[in-house]
Amino acid sequence: MAEIIQKDGSWIFDGDALRLTPGRDKNVSLLRRELGELIVPLRALAGISLEQGKKSGRLRLRLRDGADPLLHATGGRLTEPHDPYQLIVESDRYGVAEYFTDEVRNALLLDQVPSGPVTEYLLPGPGVPLSVSAGDGTASFDGERIRLEWNWKTEDAKAAAGARTLALTDVTGVEWHPAVGLENGYLRFAVRNAPTSTPPKYDPNAVELWGFKKDPLMALVAAAVQARLVHPARTADGVADARPELPSPPVVSAEDDHDALLRRLRELGELHRTGVLTDDEFALAKQAILKRM
């Protein structure tokens, strides 16, 4: 068994699965605390990496595409503080982190776990019932029905119709976007036979998000609903009765990993330019990515 314990959380690997527990440090995000402990089976993993900085580093898990409803519903848009598959590692624990990484990689090799997409969810998604208030409304889900209720900040045209209840059987897709810059985010549900391009501010099937603290929690509602919809891979094969009316997040295969690394390099460059990363931290992180490429 391999184990690493940090203020950011603890990861334990028993050879068959990883147990990811968020820490109690004040810097641990609200979404990770609400999501709680995750059990990730080895067969859901595509890889693991360790990025080392001068003061701290980061362990990252890469899951197989389609394994986790949370990652599918958020389309890779969870930022680092909220990503449950990252762990901040203090520099004095790099040795332990390297051992942990080697143990997981060796298990993936010995079990010959493929890194390609899966056709069923290997993680269950958040539990229900679930209710989150953020932006212009409250989204609740009990496993069978979604209820959207509005607050005093909701646009009049949307609030006039009153609370909205959607049966899960009528929902064909769900999508969560965070607020970025001056652009608001949203949680939107696609309803069978009712496609729409209406902005979330006016869409009765969407909650508009403004970039406040509780916005990421709407991703939990999205993931809980997504976990109970037909898996996108089966939908693409024609197993489902109807295709989702929301575009699915792009599938990132092993062949696309090079592009993902390039994007990560650009992200690191931006963090370096804005002063978040020191010269040494940027150099070390860049070196780790170049080695993977």
Side-chain angles (χ1 to χ4, degrees):
M1 185 175 74
E3 179 180 42
I4 181 167
I5 301 175
Q6 295 288 273
K7 290 188 295 184
D8 192 43
S10 62
W11 286 10
I12 299 175
F13 177 56
D14 63 6
D16 295 317
L18 289 95
R19 184 184 300 271
L20 315 181
T21 307
R24 297 183 179 180
D25 187 75
K26 63 180 182 180
N27 293 322
V28 175
S29 78
L30 182 61
L31 182 143
R32 288 180 57 203
R33 292 200 298 267
E34 288 294 324
L35 190 58
E37 186 176 81
L38 293 176
I39 305 297
V40 183
L42 184 66
R43 63 193 181 99
L45 284 185
I48 183 172
S49 63
L50 170 64
E51 299 172 3
Q52 297 186 16
K54 185 176 182 180
K55 295 181 180 180
S56 64
R58 196 177 295 270
L59 272 172
R60 296 178 185 270
L61 293 180
R62 184 164 59 91
L63 271 63
R64 299 171 65 187
D65 292 308
D68 181 20
L70 174 65
L71 294 183
H72 181 82
T74 57
R77 291 177 287 267
L78 280 178
T79 55
E80 289 186 353
H82 310 298
D83 188 342
Y85 302 113
Q86 299 186 27
L87 180 71
I88 297 175
V89 179
E90 300 299 324
S91 58
D92 62 352
R93 304 296 288 172
Y94 282 166
V96 176
E98 288 175 349
Y99 171 76
F100 189 94
T101 301
D102 288 342
E103 287 293 293
V104 175
R105 285 177 175 168
N106 289 338
L108 288 171
L109 182 63
L110 290 173
D111 286 13
Q112 297 183 341
V113 177
S115 60
V118 297
T119 57
E120 62 178 344
Y121 291 121
L122 302 180
L123 283 89
V128 294
L130 184 63
S131 183
V132 175
S133 297
D136 69 352
T138 297
S140 305
F141 180 52
D142 63 5
E144 297 180 355
R145 290 172 298 276
I146 301 158
R147 184 167 176 82
L148 303 178
E149 300 175 272
W150 314 116
N151 57 40
W152 65 272
K153 294 170 286 186
T154 308
E155 180 67 26
D156 290 344
K158 184 162 73 172
R164 181 87 161 159
T165 299
L166 302 173
L168 182 64
T169 52
D170 292 331
V171 174
T172 59
V174 57
E175 190 176 13
W176 173 86
H177 276 259
V180 179
L182 298 177
E183 183 177 351
N184 291 337
Y186 59 86
L187 168 68
R188 192 200 298 269
F189 301 95
V191 179
R192 195 182 311 281
N193 300 322
T196 180
S197 57
T198 304
K201 183 177 183 178
Y202 305 102
D203 186 353
N205 296 324
V207 176
E208 188 179 40
L209 305 174
W210 301 319
F212 297 138
K213 183 178 180 180
K214 290 188 177 181
D215 281 12
L217 295 182
M218 283 292 182
L220 299 180
V221 179
V225 173
Q226 185 67 58
R228 290 160 177 82
L229 296 177
V230 176
H231 192 279
R234 296 181 61 218
T235 302
D237 291 337
V239 176
D241 293 334
R243 292 176 180 271
E245 295 169 17
L246 287 175
S248 297
V251 174
V252 181
S253 65
E255 290 76 16
D256 292 328
D257 192 49
H258 185 269
D259 291 338
L261 293 175
L262 288 177
R263 288 195 297 273
R264 182 60 185 153
L265 273 178
R266 287 193 290 269
E267 291 171 2
L268 289 172
E270 182 62 27
L271 291 174
H272 182 230
R273 283 191 294 273
T274 56
V276 176
L277 292 178
T278 65
D279 291 344
D280 290 339
E281 289 172 335
F282 173 66
L284 287 170
K286 180 179 178 181
Q287 183 181 19
I289 290 180
L290 291 176
K291 285 182 179 179
R292 290 178 60 190
M293 294 174 67

